Amino acid sequence: MEVFIRIVQLILSLSLLVVIHEFGHYMFARIFGVRVNKFYMFFNSKFSLVRAKKFNGKWHVRFFAKNLEELKENESIETLNDDDWRKYPEHTEWGIGWIPFGGYCAIDGMVDETQKADQLAEEPKPWEYRSQAAWKRMFIITGGVLMNFVAAVIIYIMLLFVNGEEYLPVRNAYYGYDYCATAKEYGFRNGDIIMTVNGENVETTKEVTEKIIIEGKCDVKVLRDGDTARILLPKAFSEKVVAANETSFMQFRFPFTVNDVAEGSEAERAGLMAGDSIIALNGTPVCIASDFVEMLGNHKQEEVILTVMRGNDTLNIAATPDTAGKIGFVVKPSIDIFEVKHIDYNFIEAIPAGIRNGVETLVNYIKQFRLVFTKAGAKSVGGFIAIGKIFPAFWDWTYFWSITAFISVILAFMNILPIPVLDGGYLLMIIFEMITGKKPSDRFMNIALNIGMVLLLALLIYANGNDILKLIFKY
């Protein structure tokens, strides 16, 4: 069920973002009077789940219908019947394909994945993409990227307006933080509270991660056992964290109680109950959840004595962890003891804050992109499985929209890269034309498109192959 929920969220998010991206191209094409032959969510090889077109004043819809055939040599638009969709090329065909992978906006007169150069042998028509001035084509090409970024900003604005912003200031987590194995290898200790990074104060764990992992800053001052300590990280620290496949750099430490006991578990057999507070294990005091988990893991299949507070009573309970060092109960974090910051926004206030979130997300992703060109970063590149794992294993609309906004920013950035077949590749050609005054030939565009398709396909195979290898070998 958890996998299914993640898959549904992934498909819904990507489908929405693809439609938004393609609509950006469509919108600017129509603004400049360029015809759009088809607008499809998903691909429709041979047939479509649904296709629709408006002509003669009404909508015509077909379900599970074969794709329209190209006009034969002995056919012309004038000879077609009035109910033949091909007679109305000035109107866009809208549809949903059956291959749930992306989508497309087929712009008339444009060499892309929907039209090859040899299909554009006739003289350019006024309504075609290739007839437009370079600056108009630039807007049409970048429309998808622009819409993805705008969509992300709008989502951020609405999230701030509806939910406000809530976070735990780093210094307010007075039990400190648990750090990943790589961080501890280079000087961090569980319980440290990061005060400054390269002399700059940090307010949130997000800021800490951005400065250390994304920006590569190395001089860290921490509060440790009531005193300060300095940690100097190596320049390649970010790469080492990525290479170790760490899921989180730091997590705040918290006291806990038992939230739920699994039916038939060792915890149930031993008599542990929801609401119990575990204060010691084999006589060693423990109140932090992560410390308890670590200590319990050191006694796999060995009987341990848990000292438990139940109301005003103190109990000693014997339990035997399984081979994984677990006894079968769910932790309830006692986070209400920390002082969190909450900021409410009215709609006007949410607008600049949402724009700031969008810009910061884009800038941080660009900074982080440098890691892709390292050995560790290349190994960590993931495909659809990696993206799917970003979503939680439960349905929460706030999480869903937050992640969708983040992916929308990523799609905007990735699509503007100067790779043939991506928007950035077309944009590069247009800029070349504007500088030199020479337009690349359709044949050149066709070759570049084919090269880009090969590169993109290779990247998809590599990224998704990485996902599969990680699933199989757990590296």
Side-chain angles (χ1 to χ4, degrees), residues 358-390:
V359 172
E360 287 179 355
T361 302
L362 177 60
V363 170
N364 287 330
Y365 189 78
I366 293 173
K367 291 178 180 177
Q368 183 182 351
F369 195 68
R370 66 183 174 82
L371 296 173
V372 173
F373 301 99
T374 65
K375 183 179 179 180
K379 187 178 178 181
S380 70
V381 170
F384 294 113
I385 295 175
I387 298 173
K389 285 183 176 180
I390 299 176

Side-chain angles (χ1 to χ4, degrees), residues 7-64:
I7 290 174
V8 171
Q9 290 182 90
L10 175 63
I11 293 176
L12 179 60
S13 178
L14 290 182
S15 299
L16 175 65
L17 295 179
V18 166
V19 169
I20 289 172
H21 180 90
E22 298 301 333
F23 185 76
H25 295 309
Y26 173 86
M27 179 180 67
F28 280 104
R30 298 306 298 136
I31 286 174
F32 297 127
V34 177
R35 288 181 182 177
V36 178
N37 298 325
K38 293 183 179 182
F39 188 104
Y40 264 75
M41 182 173 74
F42 305 149
F43 289 101
N44 59 317
S45 177
K46 305 296 183 182
F47 75 96
S48 307
L49 295 180
V50 59
R51 55 184 173 87
K53 194 171 191 176
K54 186 178 181 180
F55 55 89
N56 292 335
K58 65 178 183 177
W59 281 96
H60 301 260
V61 183
R62 298 288 184 271
F63 296 95
F64 301 100

Side-chain angles (χ1 to χ4, degrees), residues 170-184:
V170 172
R171 301 187 188 194
N172 288 7
Y174 47 78
Y175 285 103
Y177 290 79
D178 288 327
Y179 296 88
C180 65
T182 307
K184 287 189 282 189

